[in-house]
Amino acid sequence: MSNPKMQQRRERRMFSTSDDSAMTKQVEATHAPDGREIDVKPILQIVDEILVRFIARTVEGHEVKRDQDALEMTAALAEFDMLDSLAYIINKISCELSCKCSGGGDAHSSTMVLLNYMSSYAWHAKVVLTLAAFAVIFGEFWLVAQLSAENTLAKSVALLKQLPDIAENFMSLKPHFEALIRLVKAAMDVTMCIVEFKELPSEYISEDTPPMSVASTHIPIASYWVIRSIVACSSQIASLVGMRNESISSTTEAWELSSLAHKVSSIYEHLKNQLVLCYQYIDDKRHIEAFHNLIRLFETVHVDNMKILRALIYAKDDVLPLVDGTTKSRVSLEVLRRKHVLLLISDLDLSQEEILVLDNLYKDARARGDTHYEMVWIPVVDKATWNETSKQKFEYLQSLMAWYSVYDPFIIEPSAIKYIKEVWNFSKTAILVALDPQGKLSSPNVVHMLWIWGNLAFPFTSEKEESLWKQEIWSLELLVDGIDPTVLEWMTDGKLICLYGGEDLEWIEKFTTTAISVAKAGKFELEMAYVGKSNAKERMQKMIKTFTTRKFSYFWPNVTSIWFFWTRLESMLYSKLQHGRTVENDDIMSQVMTVLSFDGSDRGWAIFCRGATEMARAKGDSALICLQDFDKWKDRIEEDGVVQAMNDYLNKNKPPHHCNRLILPGSTGGIPQKVVCAECGRQMEKYFMYRCCVE
């Protein structure tokens, strides 16, 4: 990447080495604008038609595509009525160009004469008027030269001027015209740039703003070289007068024009780069303005949600911005008017597990008359890395969704993306932003309460979440609700249930074999369910295959159920954190952190349950030893029950040392500054872990 300071130095050299400060001052001294405004666009369109399109069609032999814009331009030109004063000055400049150039005068002096004559005009007007004057000269020359073979009047004028026959001398004239064409195009490019600078919106960029102020220092000398280029082109046309019977040289003059074209092209590149910086500055200002407008919109009360949705998704009416996930047809934002809306915001790494669970919840909500909401996927993507693969991934994810999605990720304005990231704290993990029918924010992220309670969390407010927590206690039902009805049936039947996890196959085999033996010896019904390990999709697929073959116990036959079990636990933790809870004052949070810390261990773990609330839990080795020592606590079963007897044994036989790890995904947000160990109550040390799991 080039150094910006070096680039600025090169730019200064480009303008100063060829054009010393004395000439720059001389050029600027001719400038005394009187404030008159000229609409140069129609003039430029005519000049473009004569000098660029006509040249491409005739001299270069290229066919110019007449697209809809060109046809509309032609229609506009037909109605254009140029002011008499402009026609006069264009004619006057044409005369000056013809006279000065015919005499073979000094190009610099001729240029300064023209600049003095146009002193009262702005820089952009000077170059446009000069180009228009040359277009008249070139147009008249070409009409006469081209028509002389078939039109008597044109032939007579060509004879009086002794113009060369273009058809007969085409090969010798071709280098002249090719060099002239390059120079005219370069001059047109610089002119367009100067006009663009003039038309930049003053409400977003002013003359003293650095990108604009830098350009303003270069525009006078750039204008000088445009006009000087036109003087050179006019001289080239004038030199053809009297050349009918002369041999036409094509070396020196063509080289001079080419050299000048190279210089003007360099000026254009520098101005264009500065123009890009100006547009970036304007875009930044507009985005900041739109960002603050979004903030104000969310602080304002509305009769419906349309202003909010238009500001977030798409404000114009020229396209249908949404795709209906059910019909796959394009629809307008009107389908969301005065409805509860969940904005699903994610990158393109949204998992199929998330989509599958959301799909079930969304379809359930639509089937229930009292819990109806709409959902819209807003993908946050990087334009710099967008490619065909990204497009295919976007379309694939979109095809999986039954809800609405934006038809194109790039219709979302940068100001909306800024708001999503800075106000709603979106980073990488998907969030679900809830808006009520008036567009008011119900919650900046309802994903946790949706994972925990599903559609019972509707209408997804913080008050609703608090109310739901008040109804909950730590129980097996809370742990597996919405995942597997089989486990809840076991609970209803009063069976002893063991949930266990990890991926140490040696421990799993020993533990399940021992547990089954203990159940037989104690003559109680035991059901075991393997719940896997978090964030290990590929490894869990292998474990499912192993369980299918070796039949250790009952297990969930798909990774989605395993993923959802652990995701719900994490959601419980984050939900509690958002409500200011700690392990010291909240039993559910303490129990959740214990299970999550079990998952962070190298070995397995187990939770034994009977009924809704009776539980005993331990890490792998402790749980296995407890079962192996069944004879030491079996006598307590009749009086206390299996679970309480296990708890008493585990509490009396705690290992002297323990090392609990709690691994939380840092991208989810809300990581607590202080976490205490759920086993001993001491504050846990915090480490940063960077993980790349290629499975």
Side-chain angles (χ1 to χ4, degrees):
M1 185 177 288
S2 62
N3 188 307
K5 291 185 177 179
M6 291 178 63
Q7 183 176 342
Q8 289 176 3
R9 284 198 293 270
R10 285 198 300 271
E11 186 170 319
R12 285 198 294 272
R13 285 200 301 271
M14 195 282 298
F15 280 99
S16 61
T17 53
S18 298
D19 316 297
D20 57 34
S21 58
M23 190 181 78
T24 302
K25 289 177 181 177
Q26 188 182 6
V27 170
E28 290 176 343
T30 66
H31 191 54
D34 58 10
R36 72 181 76 183
E37 292 291 333
I38 297 177
D39 183 9
V40 299
K41 277 294 181 72
I43 302 173
L44 269 176
Q45 289 173 344
I46 297 172
V47 171
D48 179 72
E49 184 67 28
I50 296 171
L51 296 180
V52 178
R53 292 175 179 273
F54 177 78
I55 287 172
R57 287 198 303 271
T58 57
V59 179
E60 295 181 319
H62 298 156
E63 185 62 34
V64 178
K65 185 180 179 183
R66 309 293 289 184
D67 55 19
Q68 186 62 32
D69 290 342
L71 295 174
E72 289 175 2
M73 181 193 303
T74 304
L77 296 180
E79 298 178 4
F80 174 60
D81 184 16
M82 191 165 62
L83 295 173
D84 292 342
S85 58
L86 289 183
Y88 172 80
I89 193 164
I90 289 171
N91 185 61
K92 179 75 170 157
I93 296 168
S94 294
C95 293
E96 287 289 338
L97 284 170
S98 298
C99 295
K100 296 288 183 185
C101 298
S102 297
D106 174 54
H108 171 70
S109 300
S110 300
T111 304
M112 295 307 297
V113 167
L114 292 172
L115 283 169
N116 278 302
Y117 181 72
M118 295 183 290
S119 61
S120 59
Y121 292 93
W123 291 112
H124 73 293
K126 296 181 203 286
V127 290
V128 171
L129 292 172
T130 307
L131 272 170
F134 174 71
V136 172
I137 293 171
F138 180 83
E140 290 176 347
F141 161 78
W142 196 262
L143 280 172
V144 170
Q146 193 177 42
L147 295 175
S148 60
E150 56 190 52
N151 184 285
T152 305
L153 178 60
K155 184 175 183 179
S156 299
V157 173
L159 285 169
L160 288 174
K161 287 193 168 189
Q162 285 294 286
L163 295 176
D165 188 303
I166 291 177
E168 288 183 8
N169 298 278
F170 181 76
M171 293 310 296
S172 57
L173 286 170
K174 188 177 180 182
H176 289 263
F177 283 117
E178 286 177 343
L180 184 140
I181 288 164
R182 283 194 294 272
L183 183 52
V184 167
K185 285 184 175 179
M188 279 287 288
D189 287 339
V190 174
T191 299
M192 293 290 193
C193 244
I194 294 171
V195 171
E196 275 196 74
F197 277 114
K198 175 65 179 175
E199 293 180 341
L200 292 176
S202 57
E203 65 268 30
Y204 294 109
I205 191 166
S206 59
E207 289 281 347
D208 56 356
T209 304
M212 187 66 178
S213 59
V214 172
S216 297
T217 61
H218 298 325
I219 285 174
I221 205 68
S223 301
Y224 167 86
W225 284 106
V226 169
I227 295 172
R228 183 157 170 173
S229 298
I230 298 307
V231 168
C233 291
S234 300
S235 297
Q236 179 73 12
I237 298 299
S239 70
L240 295 175
V241 174
M243 297 293 289
R244 188 173 188 85
N245 299 312
E246 303 289 332
S247 61
I248 299 169
S249 171
S250 62
T251 52
T252 306
E253 290 159 332
W255 181 85
E256 288 173 354
L257 291 182
S258 295
S259 177
L260 197 52
H262 178 74
K263 178 179 184 59
V264 176
S265 295
S266 297
I267 292 172
Y268 167 67
E269 289 300 323
H270 288 288
L271 285 181
K272 185 176 69 171
N273 291 338
Q274 206 60 38
L275 193 59
V276 168
L277 293 177
C278 286
Y279 279 124
Q280 288 175 349
Y281 181 88
I282 291 167
D283 284 345
D284 289 343
K285 293 276 282 187
R286 282 177 170 156
H287 296 154
I288 291 169
E289 182 182 79
F291 172 74
H292 289 296
N293 181 52
L294 257 176
I295 293 174
R296 286 192 297 271
L297 278 174
F298 273 102
E299 293 171 348
T300 307
V301 178
H302 304 282
V303 295
D304 61 31
N305 54 6
M306 294 312 292
K307 280 188 178 180
I308 293 289
L309 293 174
R310 286 169 68 89
L312 282 171
I313 298 174
Y314 193 66
K316 300 175 186 176
D317 296 317
D318 54 342
V319 296
L320 298 172
L322 301 180
V323 173
D324 185 327
T326 304
T327 65
K328 305 305 178 187
S329 59
R330 295 270 291 276
V331 294
S332 74
L333 291 174
E334 284 294 322
V335 297
L336 306 175
R337 184 184 288 274
R338 292 185 181 172
K339 292 183 180 178
H340 289 275
V341 176
L342 296 184
L343 301 176
L344 172 60
I345 299 168
S346 76
D347 58 16
L348 297 183
D349 290 328
L350 189 65
S351 71
Q352 291 192 37
E353 289 77 24
E354 288 171 294
I355 293 174
L356 181 60
V357 174
L358 284 172
D359 184 72
N360 290 333
L361 291 170
Y362 180 71
K363 288 175 179 175
D364 174 66
R366 293 178 74 84
R368 296 169 56 151
D370 59 338
T371 315
H372 188 59
Y373 56 83
E374 292 297 350
M375 192 152 59
V376 181
W377 181 39
I378 298 180
V380 176
V381 298
D382 185 357
K383 205 165 192 174
T385 58
W386 183 263
N387 53 31
E388 187 60 32
T389 303
S390 307
K391 183 172 180 284
Q392 290 172 1
K393 192 171 185 181
F394 163 72
E395 290 172 349
Y396 172 68
L397 289 173
Q398 190 179 52
S399 71
L400 300 177
M401 297 175 181
W403 50 87
Y404 296 106
S405 59
V406 295
Y407 87 95
D408 181 351
F410 298 110
I411 66 169
I412 308 297
E413 290 288 341
S415 55
I417 300 298
K418 179 181 173 70
Y419 191 90
I420 286 167
K421 290 181 176 180
E422 295 185 11
V423 178
W424 291 339
N425 298 316
F426 171 76
S427 174
K428 180 169 178 61
T429 304
I431 63 173
L432 274 166
V433 178
L435 304 178
D436 73 8
Q438 286 71 47
K440 182 182 177 183
L441 183 70
S442 296
S443 172
N445 190 9
V446 306
V447 72
H448 302 313
M449 64 175 100
L450 200 61
W451 287 165
I452 300 167
W453 297 288
N455 290 322
L456 290 176
F458 181 83
F460 312 114
T461 60
S462 181
E463 293 77 16
K464 180 67 175 180
E465 186 176 20
E466 186 71 41
S467 170
L468 288 168
W469 273 128
K470 286 178 180 177
Q471 301 170 37
E472 294 289 358
I473 57 172
W474 179 247
S475 65
L476 180 64
E477 189 172 3
L478 176 64
L479 199 54
V480 298
D481 188 32
I483 301 174
D484 187 358
T486 301
V487 176
L488 297 180
E489 287 172 9
W490 294 341
M491 181 190 75
T492 304
D493 294 341
K495 295 179 179 180
L496 180 65
I497 300 167
C498 175
L499 302 182
Y500 69 100
E503 51 184 338
D504 186 328
L505 284 173
E506 181 184 354
W507 178 87
I508 289 172
E509 185 173 23
K510 282 183 182 178
F511 176 74
T512 53
T513 303
T514 306
I516 292 168
S517 298
V518 166
K520 286 181 180 178
K523 297 179 181 179
F524 47 80
E525 286 188 280
L526 173 67
E527 297 288 355
M528 304 184 75
Y530 176 70
V531 299
K533 189 173 179 63
S534 67
N535 302 309
K537 181 179 175 181
E538 296 298 326
R539 299 203 301 276
M540 286 303 99
Q541 286 177 335
K542 292 178 182 176
M543 290 295 284
I544 287 169
K545 290 179 181 178
T546 302
F547 268 70
T548 304
T549 304
R550 300 179 66 176
K551 304 186 186 313
F552 293 122
S553 72
Y554 177 80
F555 62 95
W556 291 331
N558 59 76
V559 292
T560 300
S561 295
I562 296 173
W563 168 85
F564 194 42
F565 174 82
W566 292 105
T567 299
R568 282 185 77 248
L569 281 169
E570 289 175 2
S571 291
M572 291 178 202
L573 174 60
Y574 290 120
S575 176
K576 288 290 186 179
L577 287 170
Q578 287 171 0
H579 285 271
R581 304 296 183 182
T582 65
V583 294
E584 294 96 336
N585 62 23
D586 194 292
D587 179 60
I588 293 177
M589 185 172 178
S590 174
Q591 298 289 350
V592 166
M593 288 184 69
T594 299
V595 179
L596 289 173
S597 67
F598 284 171
D599 184 57
S601 66
D602 296 324
R603 301 279 276 176
W605 59 270
I607 297 176
F608 287 89
C609 318
R610 173 161 274 168
T613 58
E614 215 181 339
M615 289 191 189
R617 51 179 170 74
K619 286 202 288 188
D621 290 334
S622 295
L624 181 58
I625 292 170
C626 176
L627 293 175
Q628 290 171 339
D629 288 349
F630 175 62
D631 289 338
K632 296 180 180 180
W633 52 270
K634 67 181 180 181
D635 294 337
R636 304 296 306 169
I637 294 176
E638 186 174 349
E639 183 177 342
D640 299 331
V642 179
V643 175
Q644 186 59 48
M646 291 180 74
N647 259 330
D648 290 342
Y649 175 86
L650 290 168
N651 288 331
K652 289 176 184 176
N653 294 276
K654 283 185 178 179
H657 306 288
H658 68 266
C659 181
N660 289 337
R661 288 177 294 175
L662 178 63
I663 301 174
L664 302 174
S667 58
T668 306
I671 299 296
Q673 291 299 313
K674 177 186 174 184
V675 175
V676 299
C677 177
E679 191 165 341
C680 66
R682 286 183 294 189
Q683 184 172 337
M684 299 179 80
E685 296 177 284
K686 181 164 43 173
Y687 294 87
F688 293 98
M689 182 178 75
Y690 299 91
R691 189 180 70 163
C692 177
C693 292
V694 181
E695 298 182 348

